[in-house]
Amino acid sequence: MTDFFEFQSKTKILSGRGALLRLPNEIRLLGGSRILLISDETLKKIGMTERIRSILQEENLQIAEIFTDIPTDSSLSVANHIAEICRDRQIDAIIALGGGSVIDTSKGVRMILSQKSDDILKLSGYEGLPAGKGIPLCIIPTTSGTGSEVTGVAVIRDENRNLKMEFISTNIQPDIAVLDPEMTVSMPPKVTAATGMDALCHAVEGYTCLQKNPLSDAYAVTAVRLVSENLVRAVKDGSDTDARIAMANAALMAGISFSNSMVGIVHGIGHALGAVSRVPHGTAMNILLPHCMMYNMDECEKGYADLLLWLAGPEIYAATPESGRAHACVRFIRRLSEQLRAICGLPLTLSEAGVSKADFERIAETSLRDGANLVNPKYVDRDVILSILEKAY
Amino acid sequence: MKKIRRQTARPDRKFRTVKEIMQYIVCAVILKFLYHGLRILYRHDDRVKQDLDRIDRGTTIRLSCSSHGPELKITASEHGIDRCTPRRCRRYLKNTADGSADAKAAESAEKLPDIDIRFKGLAFSFAVFTGQIGIAEAFSGHMMYVNGDFSKIMSLVRCMEQAERYLFPSFMGRRILKKLLPKKISSLRLYASIIFSMILR
Ligand SMILES: [Fe+2]
């Protein structure tokens, strides 16, 4: 039974320069006419939402409703509220323009509408969601990290209980992902670095977690190579379009990988750090990744050793003795984080990220509720989480 | 066996083979062991107590071995868990002046559980309950699905893994559990307590 695996990635991908111009035709093919655009205030201010509106208008498609008031980390009540309005306005297609929280909110709204539910909380679960009514969901990511544009996972914050709820089902995968460098070129260096490290983390966890399979492995290793070759370039020079496209592809491929093989302890603790101490997701991933890799080392040594080839290239891989490759992989990632801190000030420790030691107990308690820890290759309990937090401080 | 006869009478719930009937019986027995085992461990193992206490009191949970297999419907309580019956549910409902608590309790016991964990087939639950594969592996192998707040079931899953530590011998535990935690009471004592409490009921 252990050789069994499932793999699904149904999202159509439009990637590269000018990808955005192809969006109207795709919407039309999917039968959308009353479109909802979900984005955030910053993107509205810099004219991105207007740009989408004009591209659609050129092809005679109208946006029926725009929401830009999306909180960081998203929120269950906001998703419920938007869905309620969408029902009244008979929305039949959704476009999400933004980062992780905007995308996850849009997945939540689509879930509520397609399941004809009134409360997103009722839809929480793991693989138990039926297909529901088809409402096209198009994602235009403005960061390169979450991979949420292709995943069957939505993480939405429950503001009442101060924890992040996970919705996992292949039925929430978006229909279209548009990766256009025009949308990521204005991303600040620190956000580029943090989201890039999130993508790397997805690839590393995707390559080593319990549901890994030959297909998810193929996506993971290419994502690792693309991050290694392009992240520093994209952080140093945001206008480097080639690096931007490569990072967008890396994030997407890492997303496909982890959506099918799941994530582990880095995300198990990282989600809790976000919920309790409000550490941005990518920053948390950057801080935790090497420490969690060291914890998982005895179970994942072979996987980490393999990844050294894609991170450091064939020369370094061949020159490193087989027994030292896994540790060399962790050191390489640590050096990459140090380089990013030097370039753009991306925090390297929890203290630099403003986390208080007094919150450790609460972070551990929240993390124990996270499903990612269940599918981590190695056992995770409160003491393990606390010791990793101490090391990362 | 009474339950099986009732099931075979339904054309949509027919067991096709003797193997399936055996799997049904084994799963039904182990579910009972699991239920009583968790209640006893709640008193003797602080890790199980802590985890079960994390589930809000009154939360109803259904663990089904398949769409037609045996199932366990429980509610989180001051004993860790209790069977979710009208009598139990009544205790979590405020008594009303018009005496409608009974009806509400019955309805509550029948309603969809807050958390529904279901194996995708009897063969999968049989493999888990006989220690051939671990619970984490069953999740990662897409052998079960969950409807309901996923964060709440993490505690229950950890408890089930703890119970497996006691119910299966160490050589099986090493194969299906990521880590063998020290036992707080002996397996023999747990088995004796389970059988004792099953007889008492
Ligand atoms: Fe992530």
Side-chain angles (χ1 to χ4, degrees):
Chain A
M1 277 187 208
T2 45
D3 59 356
F4 174 83
F5 71 85
E6 290 182 11
F7 186 93
Q8 184 176 332
S9 183
K10 68 167 187 178
T11 311
K12 180 170 181 179
I13 295 150
L14 314 176
S15 174
R17 292 176 184 86
L20 209 52
L21 303 173
R22 298 163 194 258
L23 176 65
N25 187 48
E26 296 299 330
I27 301 256
R28 192 167 284 122
L29 288 178
L30 288 168
S33 57
R34 297 189 59 77
I35 301 164
L36 162 75
L37 176 63
I38 303 180
S39 190
D40 63 37
E41 282 298 322
T42 319
L43 292 167
K44 187 182 169 187
K45 263 182 218 150
I46 62 172
M48 294 257 206
T49 53
E50 205 38 53
R51 172 90 175 110
I52 302 294
R53 186 199 287 277
S54 70
I55 287 173
L56 291 173
Q57 229 158 25
E58 271 174 37
E59 295 297 320
N60 290 325
L61 281 169
Q62 306 298 328
I63 292 175
E65 197 74 53
I66 296 191
F67 277 94
T68 51
D69 194 12
I70 307 296
T72 325
D73 291 340
S74 62
S75 118
L76 295 177
S77 59
V78 168
N80 278 335
H81 171 68
I82 298 176
E84 199 181 317
I85 293 170
C86 287
R87 250 189 307 270
D88 295 343
R89 305 280 327 252
Q90 294 172 323
I91 294 295
D92 60 10
I94 301 172
I95 298 176
L97 169 74
S101 39
V102 167
I103 300 173
D104 283 352
T105 305
S106 70
K107 283 179 175 174
V109 172
R110 201 263 292 254
M111 224 185 325
I112 302 169
L113 293 176
S114 65
Q115 300 297 323
K116 297 182 177 154
S117 177
D118 55 354
D119 185 2
I120 190 169
L121 261 180
K122 292 179 188 166
L123 306 174
S124 174
Y126 169 79
E127 294 193 348
L129 202 69
K133 182 183 167 212
I135 293 179
L137 175 61
C138 305
I139 310 283
I140 310 164
T142 55
T143 59
S144 301
T146 66
S148 194
E149 62 273 17
V150 283
T151 64
V153 183
V155 182
I156 303 179
R157 188 159 176 267
D158 181 344
E159 55 274 49
N160 294 327
R161 291 186 300 155
N162 213 19
L163 56 87
K164 293 194 172 185
M165 299 274 298
E166 285 168 299
F167 300 82
I168 303 172
S169 167
T170 48
N171 287 324
I172 62 174
Q173 280 179 345
D175 299 284
I176 308 278
V178 182
L179 309 183
D180 193 319
E182 186 188 333
M183 292 289 121
T184 52
V185 82
S186 59
M187 195 176 13
K190 202 167 169 180
V191 180
T192 306
T195 51
M197 287 308 286
D198 186 25
L200 180 62
C201 191
H202 292 157
V204 170
E205 293 215 287
Y207 192 75
T208 48
C209 276
L210 285 189
Q211 281 168 284
K212 80 188 237 75
N213 57 68
L215 295 183
S216 68
D217 284 356
Y219 284 96
V221 293
T222 308
V224 167
R225 183 177 59 78
L226 288 171
V227 171
S228 172
E229 290 171 357
N230 296 284
L231 179 56
V232 172
R233 266 176 68 189
V235 173
K236 278 184 177 164
D237 177 10
S239 61
D240 183 341
T241 318
D242 290 341
R244 289 290 195 196
I245 294 173
M247 278 310 296
N249 289 335
L252 177 135
M253 294 184 82
I256 294 175
S257 173
F258 93 79
S259 184
N260 286 283
S261 67
M262 298 309 289
V263 284
I265 187 170
V266 193
H267 278 79
I269 303 177
H271 289 154
L273 267 174
V276 176
S277 302
R278 311 310 292 267
V279 180
H281 182 69
T283 306
M285 297 298 103
N286 177 56
I287 296 167
L288 294 169
L289 182 58
H291 301 287
C292 294
M293 285 174 82
M294 286 310 292
Y295 174 69
N296 278 342
M297 185 58 80
D298 34 355
E299 291 293 331
C300 303
E301 192 173 352
K302 162 121 188 20
Y304 296 156
D306 289 350
L307 289 179
L308 181 69
L309 172 64
W310 306 93
L311 265 174
E315 283 83 14
I316 294 179
Y317 179 81
T320 311
E322 199 177 339
S323 59
R325 284 175 186 158
H327 283 88
C329 173
V330 181
R331 280 198 301 277
F332 190 95
I333 290 174
R334 191 65 179 171
R335 272 203 301 277
L336 177 61
S337 298
E338 284 165 1
Q339 214 179 338
L340 293 173
R341 178 168 65 169
I343 301 169
C344 66
L346 185 68
L348 205 59
T349 61
L350 292 176
S351 53
E352 283 176 23
V355 177
S356 157
K357 268 196 175 188
D359 287 340
F360 279 9
E361 279 293 334
R362 228 150 42 95
I363 294 166
E365 183 61 33
T366 310
S367 176
L368 282 174
R369 295 169 186 263
D370 200 293
N373 288 328
L374 176 66
V375 284
N376 187 63
K378 202 171 161 186
Y379 181 76
V380 180
D381 64 12
R382 169 189 290 272
D383 294 342
V384 170
I385 297 167
L386 286 173
S387 89
I388 288 175
L389 289 173
E390 280 293 343
K391 282 178 190 150
Y393 191 72
Chain B
M1 287 307 285
K2 188 178 154 200
K3 200 165 188 179
I4 294 169
R5 255 182 260 123
R6 183 165 59 85
Q7 299 272 5
T8 41
R10 298 185 180 185
D12 57 329
R13 293 185 175 183
K14 208 175 275 178
F15 290 103
R16 283 164 302 184
T17 60
V18 174
K19 188 176 158 194
E20 277 186 359
I21 296 174
M22 286 309 296
Q23 287 179 339
Y24 185 103
I25 294 169
V26 170
C27 287
V29 170
I30 303 231
L31 271 184
K32 278 197 195 316
F33 266 72
L34 191 64
Y35 169 71
H36 290 284
L38 282 177
R39 279 169 63 92
I40 292 158
L41 287 174
Y42 182 78
R43 295 200 301 272
H44 293 100
D45 189 327
D46 54 335
R47 296 161 304 193
V48 173
K49 185 176 186 320
Q50 277 171 13
D51 268 325
L52 287 180
D53 283 342
R54 284 194 184 98
I55 307 173
D56 300 332
R57 297 258 162 100
T59 303
T60 51
I61 302 161
R62 180 169 65 186
L63 177 63
S64 317
C65 292
S66 72
S67 57
H68 62 278
E71 61 180 40
L72 176 67
K73 198 169 172 188
I74 53 177
T75 178
S77 75
E78 69 272 25
H79 304 115
I81 52 169
D82 268 321
R83 265 187 212 285
C84 189
T85 59
R87 187 170 64 87
R88 303 277 188 201
C89 287
R90 193 160 45 230
R91 286 165 47 193
Y92 297 101
L93 293 168
K94 284 194 180 107
N95 271 312
T96 47
D98 61 356
S100 62
D102 272 1
K104 275 192 194 164
E107 186 190 312
S108 185
E110 285 302 314
K111 76 167 180 152
L112 277 176
D114 298 317
I115 299 163
D116 200 2
I117 307 169
R118 177 172 289 184
F119 285 93
K120 292 178 182 173
L122 204 52
F124 302 131
S125 46
F126 181 78
V128 169
F129 288 157
T130 50
Q132 296 171 56
I133 50 170
I135 295 167
E137 202 184 335
F139 263 107
S140 60
H142 304 273
M143 295 175 195
M144 58 215 287
Y145 67 82
V146 179
N147 280 323
D149 184 348
F150 197 59
S151 67
K152 282 184 184 168
I153 75 143
M154 286 307 298
S155 310
L156 185 72
V157 167
R158 264 195 303 275
C159 290
M160 284 165 68
E161 286 189 328
Q162 291 280 351
E164 285 187 328
R165 167 77 183 101
Y166 289 90
L167 296 174
F168 295 130
S170 292
F171 77 89
M172 283 168 86
R174 257 188 288 278
R175 201 177 58 219
I176 60 169
L177 299 170
K178 290 177 194 163
K179 188 180 178 183
L180 284 190
L181 294 170
K183 294 177 186 175
K184 296 294 169 88
I185 57 168
S186 74
S187 295
L188 207 63
R189 189 173 157 204
L190 179 68
Y191 267 107
S193 308
I194 290 173
I195 292 166
F196 188 64
S197 71
M198 281 165 79
I199 293 168
L200 272 186
R201 289 177 67 85

